[in-house]
Amino acid sequence: MSKSQKATSNGAEGSKSEVRIVRVLITVAVGVIIGLIPPPDGLTPDIMKFLGVFAAMIVGLLSQAAPNWAVTVACSFAMIFLGLTQIDTILINFSKNNVWLPMAIVGFAGCLEKSGVLRRIAFNVYKLFPTTYVGQILAIGAASVVLTPLIPSTSAKLGVMSPFTASLASEAGIQPHSKAMKGLWFVLFNVCYICAFCVLTGSNGNFLILGFAPEDEAAKFTWIYWLLMCIVWFAVVVILTILFTAIFMKPNQPITVTKESVNQKLAELGPMSGDEKFCIIVLACAMLLWITESYHGINTAVVAWAALFAMLIRGLFKTKDIFALPWPFFLFLAGLLGMSDYMNSCGVSDWISTVLSPVVGKLIPNSFVFVIVLAVVTWIVRLFVDSLSTMAIIPTVFGPVATLLGINPLLVVWLSYVNGQQWILPHNTPQMLQSAVMMGNAINHEDVRNLSFVYMITALIGSLASVPVWTAMGLM
């Protein structure tokens, strides 16, 4: 690199550093100003300090003053510095399932991917369907559904499904960036990635959502109960996605794909290895224990760590793999949940409920309107921030209203998560860009931007269709 290039690079880095410093200063200033405001009736000076810290957290997340994990952890320690709480209280989630369960399952997921068993499962599912475009749609959907409960790492699932989807399309003569290619990606992304939120062990994000359940109700959100909560939404989204793709994204000329291409991929894998057989046995045992948790009472995290220790004994998980775990996610998770716990205990939610109660009946008269308004606000917020930051914002706005309507707080977070999975702008959902790369750039963001609107409407329809079920379950 020449001296001029180095100077340009150093200048760019310096400029980024200056911008970050300004964002940090603005974040701190907002927190200090709000924290010093005289408390209105019903609040105390300590609560105002907390609101100042919470506002600083929101501004820091929105402005990307620092990485998400750094913002939430810094705010947690600010709470300790201000004398509002103790370290073993604000960071207590480090000792709960919310952190330890996804930690073990992410490690376990890496072992499954390393063994090759996930690819073998997906390829065998493909063999069951017709060699037509509709057959491809159904195969992608079915393979994604099969993988969904097996592993919570959505990146791992996309890593298995994306390359093979592109390969299968290529074998059938479907051109990159074509309408048919966009349709196959749409099915892949909706079912493999987004619908993973419908199975408790299908996405790491579910463990974050689970942390918002009231403490006295958290135990009832078992694997089966979670599935019952999501089953109508899942069915609506999958069916509408497949119908839309089959009707509006089909190629102009009929296409076919040979069974030989699928068989060739399986042949390349060779006979099932000892590691694969071992993983299938451990996975089957873990799944059985997760599904039957309500009968035997063994903690989900205990099962996950037992599975990971089995991988360790087999040699599929090594000490170096610990460093590959998503530690920033765990830090963000614990910090965010700690802030949420404090808000629920300090009286802010009750105060907001009191303020809103005179008008909430006029603005949001029932659960159906609540779902619509929440979805629209989530769409707007997601244009500017990522899904994790949205999960910190939406419960704050809608939590008190949900309490007045008898809506479970966990459902508020889940609705904001599934309705917020949009990709109108490139930064909205990085997984969309990751899947495009893993498909060999057979599609790009511009190709599928408009499909985001299709998903958003589909997700809202699924949410509204689920209201009667949620009411029957006592969640609304």
Side-chain angles (χ1 to χ4, degrees):
M1 182 182 291
S2 66
K3 291 183 178 180
S4 61
Q5 289 175 322
K6 289 183 179 179
T8 301
S9 176
N10 291 335
E13 290 299 322
S15 178
K16 290 180 180 179
S17 178
E18 292 173 1
V19 170
R20 174 157 287 182
I21 291 173
V22 171
R23 291 174 178 173
V24 170
L25 291 175
I26 293 173
T27 298
V28 173
V30 169
V32 170
I33 291 171
I34 293 179
L36 294 176
I37 295 175
D41 291 340
L43 297 182
T44 65
D46 279 352
I47 292 179
M48 291 307 301
K49 291 179 184 178
F50 164 71
L51 290 177
V53 176
F54 188 82
M57 183 182 77
I58 298 301
V59 173
L61 293 173
L62 287 172
S63 65
Q64 298 181 341
N68 285 348
W69 68 267
V71 172
T72 57
V73 172
C75 288
S76 297
F77 279 98
M79 297 276 289
I80 300 169
F81 174 77
L82 293 171
L84 300 177
T85 185
Q86 300 296 320
I87 189 169
D88 58 352
T89 300
I90 192 69
L91 296 177
I92 194 173
N93 284 282
F94 276 115
S95 65
K96 294 185 176 181
N97 276 10
N98 300 329
V99 171
W100 285 93
L101 178 56
M103 191 184 299
I105 293 183
V106 170
F108 183 49
C111 298
L112 294 178
E113 185 177 11
K114 187 186 301 182
S115 73
V117 69
L118 295 182
R119 299 184 75 235
R120 188 180 298 275
I121 292 172
F123 295 157
N124 276 288
V125 171
Y126 273 115
K127 293 172 62 177
L128 304 177
F129 296 90
T131 56
T132 62
Y133 186 67
V134 173
Q136 287 186 318
I137 292 172
L138 295 175
I140 292 170
S144 298
V145 168
V146 169
L147 289 180
T148 289
L150 301 184
I151 178 170
S153 174
T154 48
S155 295
K157 284 193 283 281
L158 287 174
V160 171
M161 295 296 299
S162 297
F164 188 70
T165 298
S167 175
L168 197 66
S170 176
E171 290 290 337
I174 297 176
Q175 296 300 312
H177 311 289
S178 65
K179 181 173 65 172
M181 183 69 80
K182 299 173 191 176
L184 293 180
W185 173 86
F186 189 52
V187 174
L188 162 71
F189 196 69
N190 278 10
V191 183
C192 184
Y193 171 68
I194 298 177
C195 286
F197 304 129
C198 297
V199 180
L200 183 58
T201 54
S203 170
N204 295 325
N206 290 340
F207 303 110
L208 176 57
I209 298 172
L210 190 59
F212 285 86
E215 189 171 347
D216 59 339
E217 297 184 18
K220 77 178 183 182
F221 285 92
T222 61
W223 198 93
I224 292 293
Y225 192 84
W226 188 281
L227 182 62
L228 291 175
M229 179 183 77
C230 305
I231 192 65
V232 172
W233 188 92
F234 175 83
V236 169
V237 171
V238 170
I239 291 171
L240 291 182
T241 295
I242 290 175
L243 287 176
F244 175 86
T245 304
I247 295 171
F248 297 103
M249 305 303 290
K250 61 183 179 181
N252 296 326
Q253 299 295 327
I255 59 97
T256 59
V257 60
T258 64
K259 294 287 186 181
E260 285 73 17
S261 61
V262 176
N263 291 330
Q264 181 181 353
K265 294 290 184 180
L266 281 170
E268 291 172 0
L269 290 177
M272 185 175 287
S273 67
D275 284 344
E276 287 181 276
K277 294 176 182 177
F278 183 81
C279 285
I280 288 177
I281 293 172
V282 174
L283 182 59
C285 292
M287 285 296 300
L288 180 62
L289 290 172
W290 281 329
I291 293 172
T292 58
E293 181 184 357
S294 60
Y295 298 99
H296 54 68
I298 300 176
N299 188 282
T300 306
V302 173
V303 175
W305 276 95
L308 184 59
F309 285 137
M311 296 295 108
L312 180 68
I313 294 171
R314 180 73 182 184
L316 289 170
F317 188 82
K318 303 181 184 299
T319 300
K320 66 178 182 179
D321 295 324
I322 294 175
F323 300 101
L325 297 177
W327 293 105
F329 171 79
F330 301 138
L331 290 170
F332 174 81
L333 177 67
L336 178 62
L337 292 177
M339 296 291 288
S340 175
D341 290 343
Y342 188 89
M343 172 170 279
N344 292 333
S345 64
C346 73
V348 172
S349 297
D350 293 336
W351 179 80
I352 295 175
S353 296
T354 301
V355 172
L356 292 177
S357 59
V359 295
V360 69
K362 297 179 182 178
L363 296 178
I364 304 179
N366 56 58
S367 298
F368 289 98
V369 177
F370 177 89
V371 168
I372 294 171
V373 175
L374 185 146
V376 172
V377 173
T378 300
W379 294 343
I380 296 171
V381 171
R382 282 288 282 116
L383 290 174
F384 305 100
V385 302
D386 60 31
S387 59
L388 290 177
S389 301
T390 302
M391 289 174 66
I393 297 170
I394 296 299
T396 305
V397 175
F398 286 89
V401 180
T403 300
L404 292 170
L405 292 174
I407 299 174
N408 193 295
L410 180 143
L411 195 57
V412 175
V413 183
W414 188 85
L415 282 167
S416 71
Y417 210 40
V418 297
N419 284 283
Q421 299 302 318
Q422 63 189 47
W423 53 93
I424 297 173
L425 300 176
H427 69 272
N428 289 152
T429 303
Q431 291 81 3
M432 181 266 125
L433 302 177
Q434 293 172 3
S435 65
V437 171
M438 289 186 286
M439 285 183 67
N441 293 310
I443 57 102
N444 58 36
H445 177 258
E446 276 300 315
D447 291 335
V448 298
R449 181 200 299 270
N450 291 337
L451 291 176
S452 179
F453 296 103
V454 179
Y455 167 73
M456 290 157 65
I457 298 300
T458 300
L460 178 55
I461 293 172
S463 300
L464 292 173
S466 300
V467 168
V469 174
W470 293 333
T471 302
M473 294 177 69
L475 296 173
M476 279 189 163

